[in-house]
Tab-separated table of all heavy atoms in Angstrom:
chain	number	residue	atom	x	y	z
A	8	LYS	N	113.218	113.253	107.016
A	8	LYS	CA	112.722	113.315	108.386
A	8	LYS	C	113.858	113.474	109.390
A	8	LYS	O	113.672	114.042	110.452
A	8	LYS	CB	111.895	112.071	108.712
A	8	LYS	CG	110.561	112.029	107.999
A	8	LYS	CD	109.779	110.800	108.425
A	8	LYS	CE	108.433	110.741	107.765
A	8	LYS	NZ	107.638	109.590	108.239
A	27	TYR	N	110.762	108.126	119.168
A	27	TYR	CA	110.396	108.223	117.752
A	27	TYR	C	109.554	107.008	117.381
A	27	TYR	O	109.956	105.870	117.619
A	27	TYR	CB	111.647	108.289	116.869
A	27	TYR	CG	111.309	108.617	115.446
A	27	TYR	CD1	111.229	109.944	115.036
A	27	TYR	CD2	111.018	107.626	114.528
A	27	TYR	CE1	110.870	110.264	113.735
A	27	TYR	CE2	110.659	107.928	113.226
A	27	TYR	CZ	110.590	109.258	112.833
A	27	TYR	OH	110.225	109.566	111.557
A	28	VAL	N	108.393	107.253	116.802
A	28	VAL	CA	107.483	106.186	116.386
A	28	VAL	C	107.416	106.178	114.866
A	28	VAL	O	107.156	107.211	114.246
A	28	VAL	CB	106.069	106.407	116.972
A	28	VAL	CG1	105.132	105.283	116.555
A	28	VAL	CG2	106.134	106.517	118.495
A	29	GLY	N	107.686	105.026	114.259
A	29	GLY	CA	107.648	104.947	112.808
A	29	GLY	C	107.428	103.533	112.314
A	29	GLY	O	107.427	102.576	113.089
A	30	ASP	N	107.268	103.425	110.990
A	30	ASP	CA	107.074	102.096	110.419
A	30	ASP	C	107.771	101.906	109.076
A	30	ASP	O	108.108	100.804	108.701
A	30	ASP	CB	105.588	101.751	110.291
A	30	ASP	CG	104.796	102.722	109.435
A	30	ASP	OD1	105.407	103.591	108.789
A	30	ASP	OD2	103.559	102.599	109.411
A	31	GLY	N	108.016	102.981	108.346
A	31	GLY	CA	108.548	102.839	106.994
A	31	GLY	C	110.032	103.112	106.878
A	31	GLY	O	110.686	103.570	107.814
A	34	ASP	N	111.554	106.386	107.888
A	34	ASP	CA	111.751	106.636	109.311
A	34	ASP	C	113.121	106.150	109.797
A	34	ASP	O	113.475	106.358	110.953
A	34	ASP	CB	110.648	105.944	110.134
A	34	ASP	CG	109.284	106.560	109.853
A	34	ASP	OD1	109.162	107.793	109.996
A	34	ASP	OD2	108.351	105.823	109.486
A	38	SER	N	115.639	107.704	112.964
A	38	SER	CA	115.867	106.687	113.995
A	38	SER	C	117.349	106.522	114.294
A	38	SER	O	117.748	106.345	115.451
A	38	SER	CB	115.282	105.341	113.563
A	38	SER	OG	113.885	105.419	113.437
A	47	ILE	N	113.247	104.115	120.038
A	47	ILE	CA	112.658	103.957	118.707
A	47	ILE	C	111.529	102.939	118.833
A	47	ILE	O	111.763	101.808	119.272
A	47	ILE	CB	113.677	103.439	117.679
A	47	ILE	CG1	114.891	104.353	117.593
A	47	ILE	CG2	113.014	103.266	116.312
A	47	ILE	CD1	116.065	103.732	116.848
A	48	CYS	N	110.338	103.332	118.445
A	48	CYS	CA	109.189	102.431	118.427
A	48	CYS	C	108.927	102.095	116.951
A	48	CYS	O	108.429	102.933	116.197
A	48	CYS	CB	107.968	103.090	119.045
A	48	CYS	SG	108.195	103.633	120.744
A	49	ALA	N	109.302	100.888	116.562
A	49	ALA	CA	109.177	100.459	115.163
A	49	ALA	C	108.002	99.488	115.041
A	49	ALA	O	107.909	98.529	115.809
A	49	ALA	CB	110.468	99.792	114.698
A	50	ARG	N	107.154	99.730	114.080
A	50	ARG	CA	105.966	98.884	113.899
A	50	ARG	C	106.374	97.492	113.431
A	50	ARG	O	107.072	97.322	112.429
A	50	ARG	CB	105.018	99.524	112.898
A	50	ARG	CG	103.673	98.854	112.862
A	50	ARG	CD	102.729	99.686	112.055
A	50	ARG	NE	101.406	99.101	112.077
A	50	ARG	CZ	100.388	99.575	111.387
A	50	ARG	NH1	100.543	100.649	110.637
A	50	ARG	NH2	99.226	98.990	111.439
A	51	GLN	N	105.952	96.503	114.192
A	51	GLN	CA	106.302	95.113	113.916
A	51	GLN	C	105.798	94.684	112.541
A	51	GLN	O	104.678	94.967	112.153
A	51	GLN	CB	105.703	94.209	114.990
A	51	GLN	CG	106.199	92.803	114.934
A	51	GLN	CD	105.825	92.034	116.199
A	51	GLN	OE1	105.237	92.574	117.110
A	51	GLN	NE2	106.175	90.774	116.228
A	53	PHE	N	106.937	95.719	109.639
A	53	PHE	CA	107.090	96.749	108.615
A	53	PHE	C	108.576	97.011	108.360
A	53	PHE	O	109.450	96.531	109.076
A	53	PHE	CB	106.365	98.033	109.035
A	53	PHE	CG	104.870	97.947	108.872
A	53	PHE	CD1	104.108	97.140	109.717
A	53	PHE	CD2	104.217	98.645	107.874
A	53	PHE	CE1	102.739	97.043	109.572
A	53	PHE	CE2	102.847	98.555	107.714
A	53	PHE	CZ	102.101	97.752	108.567
A	55	LEU	N	110.741	99.510	108.676
A	55	LEU	CA	111.646	100.093	109.666
A	55	LEU	C	112.160	99.023	110.621
A	55	LEU	O	113.361	98.929	110.874
A	55	LEU	CB	110.969	101.226	110.455
A	55	LEU	CG	111.831	101.841	111.566
A	55	LEU	CD1	113.108	102.456	111.010
A	55	LEU	CD2	111.021	102.872	112.351
A	56	ALA	N	111.278	98.195	111.117
A	56	ALA	CA	111.687	97.132	112.047
A	56	ALA	C	112.657	96.168	111.367
A	56	ALA	O	113.669	95.768	111.971
A	56	ALA	CB	110.458	96.376	112.554
A	73	TRP	N	106.081	97.479	117.993
A	73	TRP	CA	104.707	97.728	118.397
A	73	TRP	C	103.732	97.274	117.317
A	73	TRP	O	104.071	97.182	116.155
A	73	TRP	CB	104.492	99.205	118.713
A	73	TRP	CG	104.702	100.147	117.568
A	73	TRP	CD1	105.885	100.682	117.173
A	73	TRP	CD2	103.711	100.660	116.669
A	73	TRP	NE1	105.698	101.497	116.081
A	73	TRP	CE2	104.383	101.512	115.752
A	73	TRP	CE3	102.340	100.487	116.536
A	73	TRP	CZ2	103.714	102.187	114.739
A	73	TRP	CZ3	101.681	101.164	115.520
A	73	TRP	CH2	102.360	102.000	114.648
Side-chain angles (χ1 to χ4, degrees):
K8 289 183 179 183
Y27 190 88
V28 181
D30 59 9
D34 294 306
S38 296
I47 303 166
C48 302
R50 191 170 184 184
Q51 190 167 358
F53 284 71
L55 177 61
W73 62 274

